[in-house]
């Protein structure tokens, strides 16, 4: 705004703007609070009625801004006005928060919108600032209250949704069976957060005679009620399948339960029994999509529905059958996989068949990708078909019939450290096609390492090392049985020593059962240790994360011990601590711990394997430290391989401190690594 000074200019301005008294009255009546401040002290030269009411001050003209509003010091308002004076540029500020202090020391919170316009003379020099402001406190507080209510509601929803999802995951099978002639896989993707968790479910149950039951179902409704009903239905159906081999009888009994239960009624299910011995799959569809049969070349066809209606709706329960041979895969899925808004189920099925064809044909997968056709089909079907959005839970369950079933294996090695390493590598090559989880691999590696080490240390005392034989086989019930045999004689005093027996103890802790079938005696040589473990392949629930086991020759070979740069009395261990590295471990502990005369901390978080031979070294070192009044502190993180072994043997441990640096990723391990 330019101000005129010459009388002729004033007269012209009066003619164009109006009489001064009229302009003054109009200014005073403006609804927007307005004040005019002049340089250099930002003195108030005009303040309209709205501004006086807003500030609660009637006599502002003639005072400086700082004199009139001392409580605004520190609120940055004076500074922004001075900035407009310096730059000559109009400035706007929205929802400017001010918390001025009153004379009694109290404060209040207020929010204002400001428009600051420079006032200029005829030469364009800034003479002052026209400041207009509106109190928007009520608007801001109301919006924040609404946002708070919305955020609280969203938190409650998220917590409830997470609870239902966790409940549903807990009711689903934690693992899928691993059979010698069949590879299974499953993926479950929970509905979008705008939908409550649904009632999709799946199951895979080994039956007598090497048969495998496969089930996928979809409960009516969503939320806790549907999830609870799903758990009931899955338990009833699983119990019925193990009681009888008649699939029609099983579904009839479940259908009868659904008639009496409103939570289960109208739910859909597809149940199938795969018999690889005769090359047949029997199935029943109760209002559910029929299975897809996928050939070795990736071509697929949907089997004909058996004609059943949703459970409890009074329809027939009819079985159907199809032939299935080596190299083929059967896929069961929920309707959420092929159901999309604006598209027919046939279109969704066509898209699924395209994905399946690519999944089966593309065997050049990157490191860590799914290995079996069943896993690749489930992985890509869920990942690719859910990219365009989905409104319901998505479930896939696949079973691939192997062309070459898993055969038993026998490994014979000398009872030496070198023989142990050779056995671990050969066993890993045998077990790798089973697609076990890293935890399963670690457990099997630990069990075989301990039992072979036991034979190395005790079977051939005072004689030349003989042989150790390892036999392993996967039964039709999904139970892995492996035995470790030697031809030596176990001496009584060796078995009763203070440190012996720990290996078998640890091995038993990671298996479902261990027995010594025959213990060698002098004159009656030979000992056989038999271990059994129910194998399981983990399904992928919710947000799957690929986790590939380490390969032999990976970075986890051997044992690496490094000193903490900040604390030489702290050692960090990584890799495998077993019989092959015990001597190295003992020497390092003696050197760093000064033979027990110096406190020592061992960080075991990065260990892939902690065998009993290494545990024995830790126990010996701990005894030395205790004898000298010193401490050997073991550090690891929950869920690591070291933690489980330490708990079994009763060695105390503590978690890493925050100042110990970032937690070390224990990573996977495998026999032979």
């Amino acid at each position: 705004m330019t101000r005129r000074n010459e009388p002729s200019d004033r007269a012209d301005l009066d003619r164009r703007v109006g009489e001064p008294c009229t302009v003054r009255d109009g200014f005073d009546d403006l609804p927007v609070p307005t004040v005019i401040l002049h340089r250099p002290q930002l003195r108030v030269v005009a303040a309209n009625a709205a501004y006086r009411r807003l500030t609660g001050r009637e006599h502002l003209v003639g005072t400086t801004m700082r004199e009139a509003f001392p409580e605004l010091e520190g609120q940055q308002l004076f500074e922004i006005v001075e900035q407009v004076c310096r730059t000559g540029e109009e400035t706007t500020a929205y929802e400017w928060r001010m918390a001025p202090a009153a004379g009694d020391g109290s404060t209040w919170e207020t929010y204002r919108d400001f428009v600051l316009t420079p006032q200029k003379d005829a030469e364009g020099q800034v003479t002052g600032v026209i400041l207009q402001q509106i109190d928007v406190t009520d608007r801001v507080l109301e919006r924040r209250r609404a946002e708070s209510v919305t955020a609280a509601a969203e938190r409650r929803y998220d917590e409830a949704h997470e609870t239902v999802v966790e409940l549903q995951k807990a009711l689903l099978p934690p693992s899928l069976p691993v059979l010698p002639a069949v590879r299974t896989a499953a993926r479950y993707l929970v509905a979008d957060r705008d939908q409550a968790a649904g009632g999709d479910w799946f199951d895979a149950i080994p039956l007598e005679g090497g048969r495998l039951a496969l089930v996928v179902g979809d409960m009516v409704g969503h939320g806790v009620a549907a999830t609870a009903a799903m758990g009931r239905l899955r338990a009833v159906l699983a119990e019925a399948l193990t009681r009888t081999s008649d699939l029609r009888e099983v579904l009839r009994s479940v259908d009868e339960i659904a008639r009496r239960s409103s939570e289960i009624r109208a739910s859909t299910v597809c149940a199938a029994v795969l018999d690889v011995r005769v090359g047949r799959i029997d199935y029943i569809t109760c209002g559910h999509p029929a299975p897809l049969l996928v050939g070795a070349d990736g071509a697929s066809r949907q089997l004909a529905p058996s004609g059943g209606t949703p459970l409890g709706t009074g329809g027939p329960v009819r079985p159907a059958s199809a032939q299935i041979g080596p190299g083929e895969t059967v896929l069961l899925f929920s309707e959420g996989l092929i159901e999309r808004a604006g598209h027919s189920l046939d279109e969704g099925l066509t898209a699924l068949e395209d994905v399946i064809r690519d999944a089966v044909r593309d065997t050049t997968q990157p490191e860590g990708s799914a290995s079996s056709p069943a896993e690749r089909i489930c992985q890509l079907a869920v990942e690719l078909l859910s990219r365009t959005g989905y409104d319901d839970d998505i479930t896939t369950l696949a079973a691939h019939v192997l062309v070459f079933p898993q055969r038993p294996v026998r490994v014979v090695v000398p009872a030496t450290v070198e023989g142990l390493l050779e056995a671990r590598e050969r066993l890993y090559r045998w077990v790798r096609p089973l697609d076990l989880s890293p935890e399963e691999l670690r457990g099997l590696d630990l069990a075989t390492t301990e039992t072979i080490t036991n034979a190395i240390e005790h079977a051939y005392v005072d004689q030349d090392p003989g042989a150790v034989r390892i036999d392993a086989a996967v039964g039709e019930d999904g139970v892995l049985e492996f035995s470790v045999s030697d031809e030596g004689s176990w001496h009584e005093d060796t078995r009763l020593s203070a440190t012996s027996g720990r290996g078998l103890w640890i091995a038993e802790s990671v298996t479902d059962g261990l027995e010594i079938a025959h213990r060698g005696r002098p004159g009656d040589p030979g000992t056989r240790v038999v271990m059994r473990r129910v194998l399981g392949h983990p399904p992928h629930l919710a947000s799957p994360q690929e986790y590939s086991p380490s390969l032999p020759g990976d970075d986890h070979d051997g044992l690496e011990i490094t000193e903490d740069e900040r604390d030489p009395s702290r050692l960090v261990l990584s890799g495998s601590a077993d019989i092959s590295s015990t001597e190295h471990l003992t020497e390092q502990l003696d050197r760093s711990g000064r033979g027990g005369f110096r406190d020592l901390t061992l960080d075991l978080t990065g260990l892939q394997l902690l065998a009993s031979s290494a545990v024995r070294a830790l126990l010996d070192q701990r005894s030395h430290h205790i004898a000298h009044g010193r401490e050997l502190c073991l550090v690891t993180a929950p869920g690591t391989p070291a933690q489980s072994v330490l708990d079994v043997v009763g060695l105390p441990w503590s978690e890493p401190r925050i100042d110990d640096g970032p937690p070390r990723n224990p990573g996977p391990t495998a026999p032979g690594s």
Side-chain angles (χ1 to χ4, degrees), residues 502 506 610-620 645-646 649 651:
R502 255 178 237 284
I506 292 175
L610 179 59
S612 60
S613 53
V615 170
R616 185 179 311 152
L618 297 180
L619 288 169
D620 291 340
V645 173
L646 294 178
V649 301
L651 273 173

Side-chain angles (χ1 to χ4, degrees), residues 126-174:
V126 177
T127 60
V129 174
I130 303 173
L131 187 153
Q132 296 174 298
Q133 61 178 298
I134 299 176
D135 190 338
V136 294
T137 303
D138 292 343
R139 182 185 76 193
V140 172
L141 296 182
E142 180 61 32
R143 187 186 70 243
R144 291 191 174 181
R145 281 192 292 268
E147 290 173 348
S148 178
V149 171
T150 301
E154 289 182 348
R155 283 195 301 271
R156 289 193 297 271
Y157 174 85
D158 288 340
E159 291 169 359
H161 185 267
E162 183 178 349
T163 299
V164 174
V165 170
E166 290 302 316
L167 173 62
Q168 187 167 9
K169 290 168 62 177
L171 293 174
L172 291 172

